[in-house]
Every structure is written in structure tokens, then in C-alpha cells.
């Protein structure tokens, strides 16, 4: 299976999961799945442009810098990536998860979903 297609397929699956979690009002996990969507879309971009596999990192800024995509991005796009990077909550401590969850609500998650979709489509257009 083509590695770029692999990354894009699982990114699309993660975004659909984020949308389902939004419908269920699971705000913390909407943010997490949007992070996952962008991470995997960025790894698809990396795979399409770089001679080496993408690194095992969750830092979205590091992925855009390492792949060269950073040079094509607006400050607004980079700012959004910086803001969503902490939503990779897999290895976070319970106190951090609680404070992050308290900062999210329906309106914020709706915006995160919209911006994730827009940025994902923009990255795909650069493949």
C-alpha cells in the first residue's frame, strides 16, 4: 500500500471520529482526534516529499519544519498548529487532561473541527 495513501486514509478516519465525538459532546477527545488528523496528514506530506520516514513525534510544528512545509504556511496556520499540539493527550498527566478538558466547549470544538478540516484540505492540496 502506498505510504502517503496510508497516512491520508487514517487521517480521514480520525477526522470522521472527531466529528462523531463532537456529536457526542466529548470535547477533550474532539481536540485529540483533530490533533491526530493533522499529525497524520502532515506525515503524509512528509512521506511524499522527504527521502526518510517521518519521525515518531507528535509535535506538529516539528513536522512542518522538518518537511519544509513551514515555508508555505501562513502565520495563522502555524499559530493554529501550535495551539492544537498540546491536545495530543495520550501521555499527559490527569491534572493536565482535566485543565485541558475544562478549556473546551461546543463552540471552541466546532472552531477546532472547522480549522482542522480547512488545514487538512490545504495540506492535501500541496501533495
Amino acid at each position: 500500500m502506498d505510504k502517503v495513501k496510508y497516512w491520508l486514509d487514517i487521517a480521514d478516519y480520525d477526522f470522521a471520529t472527531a466529528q462523531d465525538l463532537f456529536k457526542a459532546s466529548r470535547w477533550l477527545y474532539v481536540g485529540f482526534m483533530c490533533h491526530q488528523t493533522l499529525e497524520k496528514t502532515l506525515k503524509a506530506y512528509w512521506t511524499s516529499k522527504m527521502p526518510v520516514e517521518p519521525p515518531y513525534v507528535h509535535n506538529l510544528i516539528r513536522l512542518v519544519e522538518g518537511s519544509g512545509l513551514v515555508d508555505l504556511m501562513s502565520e495563522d496556520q502555524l499559530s493554529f498548529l501550535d495551539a492544537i499540539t498540546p491536545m495530543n493527550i495520550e501521555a499527559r498527566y490527569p491534572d493536565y487532561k482535566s485543565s485541558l478538558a475544562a478549556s473546551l466547549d461546543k463552540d471552541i470544538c466546532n472552531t477546532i473541527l472547522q480549522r482542522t478540516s480547512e488545514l487538512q484540505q490545504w495540506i492535501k492540496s500541496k501533495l
Side-chain angles (χ1 to χ4, degrees):
M1 174 184 224
D2 178 284
K3 290 181 182 182
V4 173
K5 182 178 178 344
Y6 164 80
W7 285 117
L8 291 176
D9 286 349
I10 59 175
D12 289 343
Y13 184 91
D14 287 350
F15 189 70
T17 300
Q19 291 172 311
D20 289 342
L21 290 166
F22 181 83
K23 292 174 193 166
S25 303
R26 301 293 304 258
W27 311 134
L28 180 62
Y29 293 96
V30 170
F32 174 70
M33 293 312 297
C34 284
H35 175 281
Q36 290 296 292
T37 298
L38 292 173
E39 178 182 327
K40 292 166 186 169
T41 305
L42 288 168
K43 287 180 177 182
Y45 180 85
W46 180 296
T47 301
S48 75
K49 304 296 181 188
M50 305 303 290
V52 296
E53 294 289 321
Y56 293 103
V57 298
H58 305 294
N59 184 313
L60 304 178
I61 298 298
R62 185 165 167 211
L63 289 170
V64 297
E65 289 173 346
S67 68
L69 186 61
V70 68
D71 296 331
L72 304 175
M73 298 185 83
S74 70
E75 285 300 317
D76 185 58
Q77 289 171 321
L78 291 170
S79 178
F80 178 63
L81 288 178
D82 192 48
I84 201 170
T85 291
M87 293 188 190
N88 176 46
I89 54 172
E90 276 185 82
R92 304 288 181 190
Y93 293 101
D95 288 348
Y96 180 79
K97 281 174 74 170
S98 295
S99 65
L100 182 58
S103 72
L104 299 171
D105 63 22
K106 182 178 183 175
D107 292 336
I108 291 169
C109 285
N110 188 49
T111 299
I112 290 170
L113 276 171
Q114 289 175 346
R115 297 210 54 203
T116 297
S117 178
E118 291 167 4
L119 187 52
Q120 183 188 29
Q121 293 309 311
W122 182 86
I123 296 165
K124 286 179 177 182
S125 77
K126 303 300 177 196
L127 291 173

